Amino acid sequence: MRLTKYTDLALRTVMRLAVVDDGELLTTREIAEAMRVPYTHTTKAITHLQRLGVVEARRGRNGGLALTGTGRRIGVGRLVRALEGDREAVTCEGDVPCPLAGECRLRRALREAQEAFYSSLDRLVVDDLVSSRTGPVLLSLGVPHG
């Protein structure tokens, strides 16, 4: 299964926020620059993550973004489902509906494969994604080397 770039960016944002020191806040601009993606794309993903209760935005001079407790404990499969929406791997309807739609077993097989993909991610939480060697790499994103 292939995730959208939007979901990829949202997951990387959550992972980056998961490794900041307690009390440290990152801005949307800092995350966008570290991930080398447009600010507007990052803003859209962060807004969605806020609505899901995964990210908290604090306003003001010392404001920024922080991962919530829910964000640390959320299942990766659940998060991916929420970010991807209820899209099926194949669309049988549309302007030119598939002539096999009534008798095709492919759609069901792909839906089951998609659910198996999500289920395999359900075993992980965000903190699992940033353990080991991944954490230090995430911390180095956006840090000038020289």
Side-chain angles (χ1 to χ4, degrees):
M1 179 167 171
R2 185 175 187 165
L3 299 178
T4 61
K5 289 181 181 181
Y6 174 79
T7 297
D8 177 53
L9 172 58
L11 289 171
R12 288 186 289 141
T13 296
V14 167
M15 290 170 64
R16 179 60 180 96
L17 289 172
V19 296
V20 297
D21 292 330
D22 282 341
E24 181 185 359
L25 302 175
L26 296 177
T27 66
T28 302
R29 188 155 313 280
E30 289 170 331
I31 292 171
E33 289 171 2
M35 301 297 173
R36 297 185 181 110
V37 296
Y39 173 80
T40 54
H41 294 183
T42 308
T43 300
K44 183 178 176 185
I46 288 171
T47 299
H48 194 171
L49 292 167
Q50 284 179 271
R51 283 195 315 266
L52 294 172
V54 173
V55 170
E56 173 187 18
R58 299 178 189 160
R59 298 190 181 273
R61 181 176 173 183
N62 296 320
L65 303 167
L67 197 62
T68 64
T70 298
R72 289 190 178 285
R73 294 182 309 274
I74 193 168
V76 176
R78 179 175 168 208
L79 182 56
V80 170
R81 282 181 189 92
L83 292 165
E84 287 286 309
D86 194 24
R87 296 182 311 117
E88 289 199 41
V90 66
T91 305
C92 298
E93 293 82 26
D95 294 339
V96 182
C98 177
L100 302 174
E103 301 301 322
C104 183
R105 294 172 51 193
L106 177 62
R107 184 177 187 180
R108 180 174 181 209
L110 290 173
R111 183 56 136 166
E112 289 173 359
Q114 182 179 27
E115 188 50 42
F117 172 77
Y118 289 143
S119 293
S120 70
L121 294 175
D122 285 335
R123 293 186 286 259
L124 300 168
V125 296
V126 170
D127 276 342
D128 294 331
L129 298 177
V130 297
S131 61
S132 186
R133 296 179 297 201
T134 306
V137 172
L138 286 163
L139 286 170
S140 72
L141 292 178
V143 176
H145 299 326

